[in-house]
Amino acid sequence: MECEEGVREYFYLIKEAVSSDWKDFAFHLGFRQGDINNISRRNQDDKSRCMDLLEEWLKRDGERATIEALLGSLSNAGLQSTMDELKIYLETTARRKPAGANPAQTGDYLYEHIF
């Protein structure tokens, strides 16, 4: 569950940046057309659809729902600018963590192993 809460921290940034490209992103997260249609029907706008998509992905993939998986899907969907924004956010938050904090809980581990 801690892993889920960690990756959820990035959902707002992603949904704001991906927005109208959420269907391409959904495909690269492994969603089928029927799932994409369901998400589309139950939400009124693209930002809500993207957030719903991310929550469904987290529910579906559980422990496999990682920042690395998000970055890979963003890259495969051609969403380089969103990937870049996320990397900057990761770098910035990793620098703000207190000294001596557990790297696996602070984002430093992610930063060191992604970049």
Side-chain angles (χ1 to χ4, degrees):
M1 188 63 95
E2 186 175 315
C3 178
E4 290 179 9
E5 290 305 316
V7 76
R8 186 176 276 125
E9 171 185 349
Y10 310 109
F11 285 5
Y12 180 80
L13 180 145
I14 293 169
K15 72 118 175 157
E16 289 294 315
V18 169
S19 192
S20 63
D21 294 319
W22 76 273
K23 287 183 180 182
D24 291 335
F25 185 45
F27 174 78
H28 291 285
L29 285 172
F31 284 83
R32 296 178 185 208
Q33 190 60 49
D35 299 321
I36 293 169
N37 292 342
N38 286 335
I39 291 169
S40 185
R41 274 192 294 272
R42 64 179 185 237
N43 294 280
Q44 294 182 353
D45 59 71
D46 287 339
K47 288 183 182 184
S48 298
R49 292 174 182 127
C50 189
M51 184 60 88
D52 191 3
L53 166 70
L54 290 165
E55 291 293 344
E56 287 295 320
W57 170 73
L58 183 60
K59 236 188 317 188
R60 185 193 70 190
D61 284 21
E63 290 184 12
R64 294 183 323 250
T66 63
I67 190 66
E68 292 89 350
L70 282 173
L71 287 167
S73 295
L74 289 167
S75 176
N76 291 336
L79 298 168
Q80 185 65 42
S81 62
T82 304
M83 233 178 89
D84 293 342
E85 284 182 53
L86 185 54
K87 286 179 179 180
I88 290 168
Y89 180 80
L90 286 167
E91 180 181 342
T92 304
T93 56
R95 288 183 186 160
R96 284 190 265 148
K97 301 297 177 178
N102 180 348
Q105 294 175 335
T106 63
D108 292 344
Y109 175 84
L110 292 174
Y111 180 75
E112 290 170 8
H113 290 86
I114 292 172
F115 309 109

